[in-house]
Amino acid sequence: MNGTALKSICRARWARLFAVALVIATALLVKLLVVYQVPNDGLTALSSAAEQGQLSTGRFRPIQVIPAQPPMTDAPVVSAAEIGGRVKGRELVLGVVVNGKARAYPINMLTGPRREIINDTLGGQPIAATW
Amino acid sequence: MTLSVSGMLWNRSLVMKDSETGSLWSHLLGEAMSGSLRGQTLDALPAEMTTWSAWLRQHPETTVLSISRTARQFTRDVYRRPSDFVFGWLVDGRAYSASLDVLAQTPLLNVTRGESALLICYDTESTAARLFSRKLKERTLTLIDDQPGLMRDKQTGSLWNRDSGTAVSGPLEGERLQQQVGIMSFARAWKLFHPKSESVNRSNAGGQSATKSKKSRGDS
């Protein structure tokens, strides 16, 4: 492979990486702050937003932009005393209370694609914290 | 069920995948869009985006996720352009939202739409927004400002904690307003997924009943 061909391959790869980075950066702009209750037995059939005519975003046509990430499970949690100054007062957290148990998920620990969904159990309930 | 990042985007929004069936879920809608679980929806729990100091103050017994830090910029300064954000919610499948700049001006917004009576309670210091039902047994309450951190209902004069929605004094002491799911979102994203979403502000929050009470003069 000659030098010119090698150069153009490298340029193309960087262009693709840049495009992917852009898409991810844009994706980070459409965050919602939601904690989902994950069913631990069968699923209840609930009404579909699409069937209710709410969905006007068009057909479901997802685009693969990065490789699929392994799930985050068994994420360590500590008490507020133990976290100490590792989380600053002005930093944003996603906070939830389930069956009387409170937990905070600091957003500054959740950037980077794999961490956008944290599978957890709180107050005996399986949940997924995601933003 | 175990959810993971599929690596896919749909309308620039996260697509989740469950390990058990490989179905793909819209993060924004909480609905499986493809796979064997297509059409199923996840139950969203009321949660809030808030500052660590406010959360810790309200929940001193809280636990906290402890993995490595990956960013520094997600502080309350994220909301320095409040008009970029909305607090959105659904009632009977219909979407509503209130712009963050509206909430900053009107931190207690009593909203009436059809049968639903809701309260958006916004904390300008922590940037947390909460959605409560104003219906308590047979009553529908109207909540107004009181001392910092507190609100009062016009119907009984009871005082309520704005963080927990619990009545701390008065005839309704000990009662609790039911918290419902509301979501802080970029305004553009909310509009993209809920194009028919109605914008709620101070002048239209009361809905039909506000107009009626002006005409009838009988309503309190």
Side-chain angles (χ1 to χ4, degrees):
Chain A
M1 192 179 298
N2 64 30
T4 313
L6 198 57
K7 260 193 216 167
S8 55
I9 288 171
C10 288
R11 261 201 300 273
R13 191 168 298 144
W14 278 114
R16 264 203 306 282
L17 281 175
F18 182 66
V20 168
L22 256 191
V23 173
I24 293 174
T26 316
L28 293 175
L29 292 180
V30 294
K31 289 296 169 196
L32 290 187
L33 319 168
V34 188
V35 178
Y36 285 118
Q37 175 172 302
V38 179
N40 54 8
D41 56 1
L43 289 152
T44 55
L46 299 168
S47 59
S48 156
E51 284 161 12
Q52 287 178 349
Q54 276 291 301
L55 200 63
S56 306
T57 42
R59 253 187 49 202
F60 181 62
R61 281 201 198 93
I63 307 165
Q64 191 85 42
V65 294
I66 58 169
Q69 302 291 302
M72 289 283 296
T73 58
D74 307 311
V77 293
V78 299
S79 68
E82 287 170 289
I83 203 80
R86 283 183 51 215
V87 182
K88 307 298 180 207
R90 287 171 61 85
E91 293 188 79
L92 292 178
V93 302
L94 178 58
V96 64
V97 180
V98 179
N99 294 330
K101 299 294 185 190
R103 186 158 294 163
Y105 300 88
I107 302 301
N108 283 325
M109 293 177 185
L110 301 183
T111 61
R114 184 177 174 201
R115 296 165 172 219
E116 288 166 8
I117 307 170
I118 304 289
N119 295 278
D120 202 355
T121 305
L122 184 60
Q125 173 70 49
I127 61 171
T130 173
W131 74 295
Chain B
M1 182 186 292
T2 312
L3 294 172
S4 60
V5 170
S6 70
M8 293 185 230
L9 297 176
W10 177 46
N11 285 303
R12 304 194 295 180
S13 179
L14 171 67
V15 175
M16 312 188 289
K17 179 159 71 171
D18 72 81
S19 305
E20 287 71 15
T21 74
S23 298
L24 297 178
W25 301 74
S26 164
H27 165 266
L28 208 144
L29 299 173
E31 177 175 339
M33 308 305 297
S34 72
S36 59
L37 299 181
R38 182 170 187 261
Q40 307 285 356
T41 58
L42 297 167
D43 292 329
L45 298 170
E48 63 193 49
M49 192 67 101
T50 185
T51 57
W52 169 236
S53 59
W55 183 258
L56 180 57
R57 189 183 65 244
Q58 291 154 30
H59 305 279
E61 298 304 306
T62 188
T63 47
V64 54
L65 180 70
S66 178
I67 52 180
S68 60
R69 172 188 287 282
T70 49
R72 297 212 160 270
Q73 69 268 31
F74 290 97
T75 69
R76 66 183 296 293
D77 294 340
V78 155
Y79 299 110
R80 63 182 162 277
R81 284 206 346 216
S83 57
D84 284 350
F85 297 91
V86 296
F87 184 65
W89 68 96
L90 299 172
V91 178
D92 299 327
R94 297 173 99 125
Y96 302 89
S97 70
S99 173
L100 211 57
D101 53 8
V102 165
L103 296 181
Q105 299 297 316
T106 319
L108 286 182
L109 198 61
N110 290 265
V111 183
T112 304
R113 284 292 181 279
E115 290 303 308
S116 80
L118 298 172
L119 174 74
I120 306 174
C121 186
Y122 180 66
D123 184 327
T124 53
E125 182 53 39
S126 70
T127 69
R130 294 176 196 101
L131 190 64
F132 291 109
S133 170
R134 293 188 285 116
K135 292 190 176 177
L136 194 67
K137 296 167 183 162
E138 327 78 34
R139 283 194 179 89
T140 299
L141 302 175
T142 308
L143 284 308
I144 56 177
D145 251 331
D146 204 275
Q147 306 155 53
L150 294 174
M151 53 192 180
R152 181 159 39 92
D153 72 79
K154 287 169 83 167
Q155 284 71 22
T156 74
S158 301
L159 277 180
W160 301 76
N161 179 302
R162 289 163 82 134
D163 297 327
S164 62
T166 310
V168 296
S169 70
L172 297 178
E173 180 177 347
E175 295 282 0
R176 192 170 191 138
L177 300 178
Q178 189 198 58
Q179 192 171 357
Q180 306 203 337
V181 174
I183 293 169
M184 195 68 86
S185 170
F186 276 95
R188 272 174 299 156
W190 185 261
K191 201 70 190 168
L192 188 62
F193 281 80
H194 300 286
K196 293 185 188 148
S197 178
E198 184 193 336
S199 280
V200 176
N201 54 47
R202 176 154 51 177
S203 54
N204 69 14
Q208 289 279 330
S209 60
T211 318
K212 271 189 203 160
S213 61
K214 272 184 199 161
K215 289 181 182 166
S216 70
R217 296 172 64 208
D219 255 354
S220 59

